[in-house]
Amino acid sequence: MSEESLPPEDGPDALPEYAERVLEVAELIPPGRVLTYGDVAEWLEEGGPRQVGRVMTLYGGAVPWWRVVRADGVLLPGHELRALDHYRVEGTPLKEASRAAEGHLPRLDMKRARWDGGGRAEGHT
């Protein structure tokens, strides 16, 4: 992004426009629901799961990052316990881990937890 494309009030620390859009979608996801990285890219009609993941890695700390997830429902490596706390507080549907699962951590129940973007057309640009 060039300096010319930034609004005048934004300085050198401003978020790239794509990152702002990704974070706006993350903030729309209701408590107890999730979207995959690919869902967010599809919503924006730009980028892909890796680009969304990169934005969440770099800038996602200020938004409900635990609501943007892997498509397989596996909890974010390195952040599993923090995410699990959020999921339990919000009532996000989980599948209990099998004894063979590493660390015996549950996974997201993607069929029940995935948000359909209800009301999306109203705020979608």
Side-chain angles (χ1 to χ4, degrees):
M1 176 183 263
S2 70
E3 285 290 324
E4 298 156 7
S5 62
L6 293 175
E9 66 274 9
D10 289 343
D13 294 330
L15 287 177
E17 190 264 342
Y18 182 72
E20 286 182 19
R21 292 175 61 217
V22 167
L23 299 179
E24 286 171 5
V25 173
E27 289 179 323
L28 293 174
I29 305 166
R33 305 306 295 271
V34 299
L35 286 178
T36 68
Y37 297 114
D39 291 338
V40 173
E42 189 176 313
W43 177 299
L44 295 173
E45 299 176 348
E46 183 180 353
R50 289 177 189 261
Q51 288 84 357
V52 171
R54 183 78 175 141
V55 167
M56 294 304 294
T57 297
L58 294 174
Y59 309 109
V63 300
W65 53 267
W66 59 92
R67 297 182 193 151
V68 181
V69 301
R70 293 171 40 154
D72 63 4
V74 171
L75 305 186
L76 185 63
H79 301 280
E80 300 94 340
L81 297 179
R82 284 180 54 215
L84 194 54
D85 285 343
H86 288 291
Y87 298 140
R88 288 186 170 142
V89 167
E90 294 183 357
T92 308
L94 298 168
K95 288 183 177 181
E96 286 308 313
S98 69
R99 293 190 185 275
E102 187 176 329
H104 304 290
L105 289 170
R107 295 169 74 147
L108 290 159
D109 183 339
M110 293 304 292
K111 287 183 180 172
R112 294 176 40 226
R114 202 171 197 169
W115 185 47
D116 65 4
R120 172 183 168 180
E122 295 168 21
H124 183 56
T125 56

